[in-house]
Each structure stands twice: as structure tokens, then as C-alpha cells.
Amino acid sequence: MPDLTTNCAGITSPNPFWLASAPPANSGEQVQRAFDAGWGGAVWKTLGQPIQNVSSRFGGLHYQGTRAIGFNNIELITDRPLEVNFREIYETKKKFPKHAVVVSLMVETREEWKEIIQRAVDTGADGLELNFGCPHGMCERGMGSAVGQEPKVNERITSWAVEFSTIPVLVKLTPNVSDIVPHGLAAKRGGAHGVSLINTIKSIIAVDIDRFVPEPRVGNLSTNGGYCGPAVKPIALHMVAALARTPEFGLPISGIGGISNWRDAVEFMLLGSSSVQVCTEVMLRGYRVVEDMLEGLEEYMRTHGFAKLSDLVGKAVPAYSEWGDLDLNYETVARIDAQKCIGCQLCVVACQDGAHQCIHADPHGTAVGPAGARVPRVDDAECVGCNLCQIVCPVPGCIQMAEVDNGFAAATWNQHVGEGAKIRPKKGVH
Amino acid sequence: MSKSVTDDRTETAFQDFKHAYSPEQAVVEANRCLFCSDAPCMQACPTHIDVPQFIRKIATGNLRGSARTIFEANILGMSCARVCPVETLCVGACVCNTLGVPPIQIGKLQRHATDRAFEAGTRFFEAGPPSGKSVGLVGGGPASLAAAHELRRHGHACTIYEKRSVLGGLNTTGIAPYKMRADRSALEADWVLAIGGIEVRTGVEVGAAPTLAELERAHDAVFVGVGLGPDTALRVPGEDLGGVHGAVAFIERLKLGRVALAGVRRALVVGGGNTALDGVRELLGLGVPEVTLVYRGKEAKMPGYRHEWSAAKQEGARALFQHLPVAFEGAGKVERARLVRMDDQKKPIAGTEHTVEADLVLVAIGQSTLGGLLGALAGIRIADGCVAIDADGFTGRKGWYAGGDCANGGKEVVNAAAEGKAAALAIHRYLTGGAHA
């Protein structure tokens, strides 16, 4: 049985699945139900000076009948009294001593940070998460992403927190920057024990096209919100990996951003996350989603021979490279399995209109399969191996990108420019 | 405008066999469509409706555009959505069948889009500027309606000559009522006529008055879409007894008026085609306790659609395969049918005659052809009773075109719609100095 015991920046939990700081981790009653359901940890909904929220707080990005592939919110930090939150954190930690309870914080002045950190530490919590990421509302008051976007401010406040805290400090980074690395390094210079990322992305989720108001609509106005959910995962994966592959960074990472299932979690771990945080999927479907996350991760580790999480954390990081180091002589072409092809010809139209015009309808071809004369033909001499056909094909495994031995030794662009390495002739240029 | 049908009709006892989609159901189904390129469903449709395109428009909420896509290809798209044997056409061709998942319910989606357009009274097409040319259309069924609409888009004046008091042909008088009732077809005819400039003359027997010569003189071109003639008779003793009916005539009566079925206990429907299967299902649906299909061949060789026969069996149909009636017996009214068993070559087996009780018989062994109507016109060739035409519907006689059942021998409404439109486009080319001039 693989060991899912997690240690992220010194914060331990029975498994790597933590609730992210958000509505699902708003109260003791919720977090305790989540732990009962199987969650390994929770980052409490951000504490700070009490706020007042608006009505109409969330918006969904729906795509071709699938609800909320993206999600955004204009909700602020906790609106519950601090003392209630601290008492419930204490009670939760008492009941679940092995689970990770991390307290997310967001205040302004050094004195405020000192006081709130002291109170948070006194609850028995396992760690702190500094919310330097929120891109709506709080940033207008000089907090949240307003801190995370300024490396010097980030470093200074992080150093205060580390000074006042006796438990590990995670800095939650905002993705609303052009390059995440300086911001991670700022947190490191401030003494952070780890980082968590990404926070939400500044966004307008939709526009009410009848009322001419963006969503979520508050009366006749709206504001930008924080974007999250499955659609942001690629952005989050990149930012996690960008830090993980920076040699001078080296801090533990708690990965966040569109994690909806165990596969997503594995991807974040392979790119360097030692724990993962989930919000949107729980908001949409409840705590019960963790059951499959746990089983799926265990089964993945078992079938891949990973005994413990540290065996897989970061395993794909070395394969994240620069474009100039990619092998230009590596060649693939599309292969259509006529036995699996259903004849929809989505690959034909995608290749003709969106790629390199190498897949053709082939009514007089020799392909034998259930789709008969509708099985398309790939012109190998023109196929650049772009993958578009495989991406649009609705039949799993029908289109494979087959490796071609073209007789050329591996050669990267950098080797070509620097050492005159020989590269193969271009394909699909007509 | 056509006269609408009476409200007092036996067929109103039936509900739609396939329920209409709610808007939510339609969007869910529309989103399943893969949006195939050069889609097999589109190829399978005789009118080549751009199915993926109209379905995508349902998914995005562009229902008006969806209906426009359908009607652009087939002005009878509302009725075809209900009456097409989609299982053997578009739905049967859907790639989802190959994928092993349920095929997209194209007919129901088409109904969703076209019904909304009817409800909203949306009109998509306008008559073209007057060409000064006139076209006479013989028969007021789907082929002529589709042809007349297309001709009006090009500005040609149209006159439809119809024998009955209602338009729509078999779409009005013959469609199984659980697919579409007569009032819906009459409504569609009115909807088509609303393009304007189509004169309708009902109660007209072309050939007698006007004569073909008068018709040819009165118009610059003629389209013949007269459909098929009366039911074919078995020509056996007792066929003239009360209670023995031609199936098409009987179905027309139950669709346009009332048929008396009280007291009927055992009905026989003779034949193996789709009219026979419709007759079986309609009698069962109207409460006849025992309905038996009598077909001279084997079950597997029945020309009727498999899905229709499966449905009939589920509804309680019985069958006597490899049997043929040789006589009907009774005192003034049918009481028994005398049947003989048939061998594998559909020949009677001597000594196998026997009787079965029957108090109602529908004979559904085909309809006569009307091609002979045109037989006297030089240049027009009649083959197996049908008017011979080329791909454009051209008969060979200058200015004369044909389509629908009278030319194809009896196919679907959608075939008639396709042939009528194709002929109209050919007539337009002819009238403007192009082909066949």
C-alpha cells in the first residue's frame, strides 16, 4: 500500500489533499466534515479585519453543455468574527491532531500581522499561509495581490510573518504577474518555508448580453473577479513548474489551480507540488470528491511503483526544458487506426482548416474498418506531427502519433546554431 | 390558402409517439453532436440538410438560424422532422452508431427548431421579383409544395391543381397519426403558401378539366406530382364485402374524418410494407383487441421497416407469415378470411386452405400508379407505371417535369421534397433560357 503521508514545508498530513483557503474551509463544522470525508488538510478561509460581502459573488464559464469549466468570484476574506474562527480552528485541531490545519491570513500593518499571527499560532494550527494573491476587492485596499505583485513588499511582509511565527509559513502567490519566479524568490528571501500557488487570476467571467453588464452582476455593476477551476490548470502547472525548475528557489510547493481529480493532482506533484489544494471542484460537487482522489492516487502510485509521495514529487521537472533544447529531428506522423475510426472526419477538417493540409478524405482508399470509405488518409510526407488531429478525434486511441526514424541524429536549435548540427528538411511548408 | 381539416377525426385519439424536446433536453442532445465534417447524416438526407450546422445552432441558442438552415434545404422540414424514417436515414448514418453510443436524435432536434419557427411565425423566404412566367403544378402533395415554394423564390407564378379539398397529399392523408396528424400537415401547407403567389385550385381532376393540352397552353412549364393512385386490390372473392378496405383509403378516412371500429374484435392487415405496418399499429392504437398481419413471405423478407415492425410487435401485433387470403366470406359483411399457406417461393401450398375469423380487413398490398395520366403526351415515357425523369425531374417533353411518388414509385416525404425542389431549380433554368430550353 503506497504511503500518502505528506510533508509540505514541515506541515504534515495523512494525504496531500488539502482544501484551499475558500468557502469550503470557512468554518469548523465544514472543515471537520471534510476531514471525515477523507481530506488530509485544510487552509482556513483567510482571516483578517472583518469585511462585508456583496450579494451575487460567483460566476461560471460554461462550455458546450458542461457547467463551470471555469469559475470566478468576487467574494472577500472571512466575514465571520475572528474569535469564532480561532476557537473553531482550535477545536478542529483538537479533534484532528494528524490533519493539517493551515491558517490563511491577510492584514495590513506590522502590528496587525504580529497580533493575528500570535492568535493563529495559539490555536495549535500547523502552519500559516500569507494571502498575497487575492486579485479583487482586497487588493484595492493594498492587500492580497497588491502585495504579491511587489517583490519588495512581499519579502518585507513575509519576513515579519516568519519573525512572529513559530510554525511554518507558506506564501500564497498571485498568478497576476508576468513572471512568477521573482515573486517566489522574494518569498524565499523573506524567509518563507514554502509557497502555495496559484491564487486566482484576475478575470471577467462573462457579460450579461441583455443587460450589458459583466457578471457576476451586483445591481447594475460588476467588477473583476478571481478566475479558477479546471480551465486555469495549465496556467497553474506552468507557474508551479517554473519555480520548481529554478535551482536557486528550492522551497516546497503546495500546488493549486483547477485540480479536479487525482490525475490533476498527480500532474501537479510530478511538476513539484508536495501537497495540492482544491477549491472549485469541492464548491461544485462537495467534499465527497476526495474519495476518488485518494483511491486514484493510491492506484497510480501502486501501478507505477511509487512507495511514497516524495518518490514522484518533481519527477517531471527535469523534462520541462527550453524550446531551444528540443530535438528538431524528432519526428512523428499521425496514424489513424481504421478499426477504431468512426468516420466523423473531424481530423480532416481540423487539419485542412487549422493545420497543414495533410489529412484527406479518401473515398477510394483501401482502409478497412467500420467507417469504410470515410476513413481519412494521412499524407506522411506533409504531416508535421502537430497532434491537432489526435486532439479533435473523439475516439480514444484511434489516432496515434507514431515516431518516425528519419535517419537524422538528435539536434536541437541551440546545437544547430552553436555547433552547426544537421537538422532535417522542413515538412508541411507549401 | 388550403382548407384546414375538420376537428372531428378518429386520428386525434393518438398522441405523438416521440415526445417533443423541452428546450433543456434539446440543448443537452445538441451538445452531444460531434459536428462531423462532410457528415454522414447530411449525406443520408435526400434534401442534404446541413445537420451538424443546425444542431450547433440549437446548442448555442440560435434557434432562428437553426430553422433557417433546415428550411433552406427542405421547406417541408417541419413535417419531415416528424415523419422521416430517421432510423434508416440521418440517425441511422450518425457516426455515434459506430462509436457505440446512442446516435444523435436528429429528427427530434429538427422538430425542436422547426416547431419554434412555426410558433413564432418566423418567415425566412420571400418571393423573387415577378418573372412573368407561370408554372402549373399537378397534385398538391409534398413534391408540388416544395417545387412551388422554390419556384416562387425565383419569381415564377404558380398554380397548384389538387383533386382533394386539402393540400399536403399523403403527408395529410396517410401519415401514421402518432407521427403527425393531418392538421399539422395542413398547417405546413399554409405556411408554404404564405410566400404568396401560389394559386390553389382544389377539387380539380387534371386530364378532364383542365385537359393536359389546356394545362400546357396555360403555363410556361408543368410539374407533375400526382403521387400514387388507389389501393391495389387482391382480386379475390368477397373483397367487396363490408369491412374489407383498401388500407390507404381507410387510413385517409381515419385521418380526415371518422371510422367506425366499435365492435371490431379481429382485424387482418394484408401486406408486408410500411402501409401495412402503419395499419396494424393504428388499429391497435384505436383499441382493436386482435390485429394480425398477413404476409405472403417470411418475416425477414418484409419490405416494411424493421423498427416499425418491432414497435408493432411490442404493441401486441400478431402475424401470419407465408399466408395469403384467397377469399373473404360473410353475410354482407366480412366474417372470415380464407387463407392459404405459401411456400418459400411465395407459391400457394395445395391443401393448406383454412379460415380465420375477421371482422375488419385492410388490404395494404400497394397502390396503383398514375403515370398513365401522361401516357398520351409525346416525349414522355412511362416505365412500370411511373413517369420516367432524369436527375432534374425532366420528363423528356419540353416544359414538363415530374417528381415524388408518381415518378419514384412511392418513397418518403423527404424524397418528394428533394425531387420537387430539384425539378423547380431545373424549371427555373429552363424558363430563364438554360437547360431543356
Side-chain angles (χ1 to χ4, degrees):
Chain A
M1 199 65 173
D3 181 6
L4 297 191
T5 305
T6 299
N7 183 338
C8 181
I11 303 167
T12 60
S13 58
N15 66 58
F17 297 106
W18 297 358
L19 293 176
S21 175
N26 190 48
S27 67
E29 185 271 335
Q30 288 174 283
V31 171
Q32 290 171 31
R33 271 200 290 121
F35 287 168
D36 282 336
W39 291 87
V43 185
W44 213 268
K45 170 104 176 165
T46 303
L47 308 186
Q49 293 306 317
I51 56 82
Q52 173 77 42
N53 271 311
V54 291
S55 228
S56 179
R57 305 175 188 179
F58 305 137
L61 173 69
H62 315 303
Y63 180 72
Q64 291 192 351
T66 302
R67 304 291 293 176
I69 62 157
F71 188 83
N72 97 338
N73 86 91
I74 58 169
E75 198 177 87
L76 302 183
I77 62 174
T78 187
D79 52 8
R80 308 168 75 227
L82 280 176
E83 55 275 21
V84 174
N85 278 304
F86 285 130
R87 187 180 71 238
E88 291 178 3
I89 293 168
Y90 170 80
E91 290 166 355
T92 302
K93 193 61 208 168
K94 273 272 184 210
K95 272 193 192 168
F96 294 89
K98 290 184 175 168
H99 288 63
V101 178
V102 178
V103 185
S104 174
L105 300 172
M106 184 198 290
V107 286
E108 280 189 87
T109 66
R110 181 181 159 94
E111 283 311 306
E112 285 175 322
W113 279 106
K114 183 175 184 181
E115 190 205 333
I116 203 166
I117 286 173
Q118 189 56 57
R119 294 176 74 182
V121 169
D122 286 347
T123 62
D126 301 283
L128 305 179
E129 185 181 86
L130 311 185
N131 183 342
F132 292 170
C134 186
H136 50 89
M138 303 310 289
C139 54
E140 296 173 17
R141 307 176 195 180
M143 293 179 276
S145 62
V147 174
Q149 286 166 337
E150 294 294 336
K152 285 183 179 164
V153 184
N154 170 345
E155 179 183 343
R156 183 168 71 239
I157 297 179
T158 301
S159 68
W160 297 342
V162 172
E163 178 188 340
F164 302 140
S165 176
T166 56
I167 54 179
V169 174
L170 302 173
V171 171
K172 186 165 181 179
L173 297 175
T174 176
N176 300 297
V177 294
S178 54
D179 179 6
I180 197 70
V181 173
H183 304 276
L185 292 175
K188 183 176 184 184
R189 284 195 303 275
H193 303 94
V195 296
S196 45
L197 74 164
I198 60 173
N199 205 311
T200 56
I201 301 165
K202 204 165 200 172
S203 61
I204 289 177
I205 193 79
V207 178
D208 183 327
I209 60 173
D210 299 314
R211 290 188 173 93
F212 318 120
V213 182
E215 295 176 359
R217 185 176 59 81
V218 182
N220 290 316
L221 291 175
S222 184
T223 189
N224 57 274
Y227 189 43
C228 56
V232 311
K233 191 184 86 171
I235 298 167
L237 283 175
H238 163 253
M239 291 190 164
V240 166
L243 285 175
R245 71 194 283 254
T246 300
E248 61 270 38
F249 178 68
L251 291 182
I253 297 170
S254 183
I256 314 169
I259 296 167
S260 303
N261 55 52
W262 63 270
R263 289 178 185 276
D264 299 333
V266 168
E267 291 177 46
F268 272 81
M269 290 179 182
L270 291 173
L271 287 179
S273 303
S274 41
S275 78
V276 291
Q277 299 185 26
V278 180
C279 167
T280 308
E281 188 64 10
V282 171
M283 289 188 68
L284 300 175
R285 280 170 261 280
Y287 300 127
R288 61 202 166 124
V289 298
V290 78
E291 179 176 313
D292 173 63
M293 290 176 170
L294 289 166
E295 284 177 1
L297 176 60
E298 274 179 5
E299 181 67 5
Y300 171 80
M301 291 174 68
R302 200 181 59 70
T303 54
H304 288 73
F306 295 125
K308 54 190 191 302
L309 285 178
S310 57
D311 292 346
L312 70 133
V313 171
K315 206 163 175 59
V317 172
Y320 172 23
S321 179
E322 301 295 334
W323 193 94
D325 291 330
L326 302 180
D327 178 9
L328 289 170
N329 289 337
Y330 176 76
E331 182 176 351
T332 61
V333 296
R335 290 264 184 275
I336 299 171
D337 184 341
Q339 289 303 316
K340 290 182 175 166
C341 178
I342 60 171
C344 67
Q345 299 196 350
L346 287 172
C347 56
V348 175
V349 72
C351 187
Q352 291 295 323
D353 295 2
H356 294 84
Q357 300 82 47
C358 74
I359 303 186
H360 306 275
D362 192 24
H364 307 297
T366 54
V368 177
R374 287 189 58 85
V375 179
R377 172 177 59 82
V378 180
D379 182 350
D380 283 6
E382 294 290 324
C383 177
V384 303
C386 73
N387 300 343
L388 182 63
C389 53
Q390 192 185 43
I391 291 166
V392 300
C393 179
V395 185
C398 176
I399 298 183
Q400 302 283 354
M401 303 309 296
E403 295 186 3
V404 175
D405 180 3
N406 53 25
F408 284 83
T412 70
W413 175 252
N414 292 337
Q415 289 165 339
H416 176 64
V417 173
E419 307 149 27
K422 197 177 174 198
I423 56 176
R424 65 190 167 112
K426 292 177 190 175
K427 290 175 78 178
V429 180
H430 47 244
Chain B
M1 304 292 267
S2 72
K3 286 181 199 165
S4 63
V5 297
T6 174
D7 289 338
D8 185 26
R9 311 190 312 276
T10 298
E11 69 158 354
T12 59
F14 287 94
Q15 299 298 311
D16 285 349
F17 181 67
K18 291 181 182 174
H19 294 289
Y21 274 144
S22 68
E24 296 77 15
Q25 289 171 319
V27 170
V28 168
E29 185 66 6
N31 273 316
R32 291 206 309 120
C33 175
L34 294 174
F35 201 57
C36 292
S37 168
D38 188 23
C41 53
M42 184 176 169
Q43 295 175 4
C45 175
T47 64
H48 303 304
I49 293 172
D50 192 339
V51 173
Q53 198 66 263
F54 96 67
I55 291 180
R56 183 178 181 86
K57 293 176 181 181
I58 292 174
T60 68
N62 176 14
L63 283 175
R64 185 191 167 99
S66 179
R68 194 200 60 76
T69 297
I70 295 162
F71 290 131
E72 182 69 50
N74 179 359
I75 195 63
L76 305 182
M78 185 278 284
S79 62
C80 286
R82 289 169 160 78
V83 310
C84 265
V86 292
E87 294 84 351
T88 64
L89 295 173
C90 52
V91 174
C94 177
V95 298
C96 287
N97 293 297
T98 313
L99 188 57
V101 300
I104 307 302
Q105 294 301 297
I106 298 164
K108 294 179 77 169
L109 289 169
Q110 181 169 322
R111 174 175 171 177
H112 181 74
T114 54
D115 277 4
R116 294 302 147 114
F118 268 63
E119 283 164 20
T122 313
R123 295 214 55 83
F124 298 92
F125 308 107
E126 303 211 342
S131 67
K133 304 286 186 182
S134 135
V135 180
L137 300 103
V138 187
S144 287
L145 287 172
H149 188 270
E150 192 64 30
L151 288 164
R152 290 300 300 137
R153 292 185 70 187
H154 291 96
H156 307 303
C158 291
T159 303
I160 290 177
Y161 300 89
E162 167 59 49
K163 184 168 60 181
R164 290 184 178 77
S165 65
V166 290
L167 291 183
L170 276 176
N171 225 1
T172 304
T173 66
I175 295 297
Y178 42 82
K179 292 179 183 164
M180 183 174 73
R181 292 188 290 271
D183 54 321
R184 196 78 197 169
S185 175
L187 179 73
E188 179 177 70
D190 288 345
W191 193 79
V192 170
L193 296 181
I195 194 169
I198 303 174
E199 186 190 347
V200 177
R201 296 191 195 166
T202 54
V204 176
E205 194 76 50
V206 168
T211 64
L212 298 178
E214 287 167 343
L215 198 67
E216 192 166 44
R217 277 197 299 278
H219 299 288
D220 298 296
V222 177
F223 175 79
V224 180
V226 292
L228 295 172
D231 291 285
T232 306
L234 279 164
R235 301 184 191 284
V236 298
E239 203 167 358
D240 55 347
L241 286 171
V244 181
H245 309 273
V248 171
F250 183 85
I251 290 169
E252 177 170 342
R253 291 225 316 275
L254 78 84
K255 286 190 65 72
L256 296 184
R258 291 229 157 252
V259 293
L261 290 171
V264 174
R265 299 201 51 77
R266 292 185 180 85
L268 299 183
V269 180
V270 183
N274 287 313
T275 301
L277 300 183
D278 281 357
V280 168
R281 296 186 67 187
E282 287 163 33
L283 292 177
L284 286 167
L286 290 169
V288 174
E290 189 181 308
V291 181
T292 304
L293 184 81
V294 180
Y295 177 54
R296 60 188 175 144
K298 291 179 171 177
E299 181 172 12
K301 293 288 180 70
M302 270 199 304
Y305 291 125
R306 309 311 306 164
H307 62 271
E308 291 287 348
W309 177 233
S310 298
K313 282 197 282 194
Q314 282 175 19
E315 289 158 4
R318 302 180 177 203
L320 287 168
F321 293 109
Q322 295 189 286
H323 281 75
L324 182 71
V326 293
F328 299 106
E329 301 167 0
K333 196 177 169 314
V334 67
E335 294 167 18
R336 289 173 306 282
R338 179 164 294 278
L339 306 180
V340 63
R341 287 195 47 205
M342 308 289 277
D343 66 16
D344 290 355
Q345 280 71 48
K346 294 184 182 173
K347 302 285 184 218
I349 302 172
T352 61
E353 278 192 26
H354 58 288
T355 61
V356 295
E357 287 184 42
D359 44 13
L360 177 70
V361 176
L362 302 187
V363 178
I365 59 169
Q367 287 175 263
S368 59
T369 52
L370 293 175
L373 176 73
L374 303 182
L377 291 179
I380 295 182
R381 193 169 62 84
I382 307 301
D384 291 334
C386 296
V387 184
I389 54 172
D390 67 12
D392 286 335
F394 181 55
T395 62
R397 183 183 177 87
K398 192 173 172 182
W400 285 73
Y401 296 77
D405 285 355
C406 72
N408 65 34
K411 287 187 176 175
E412 302 297 338
V413 174
V414 67
N415 297 99
E419 293 166 22
K421 182 179 175 183
L425 291 170
I427 291 169
H428 171 63
R429 289 195 295 276
Y430 164 66
L431 294 178
T432 52
H436 316 129

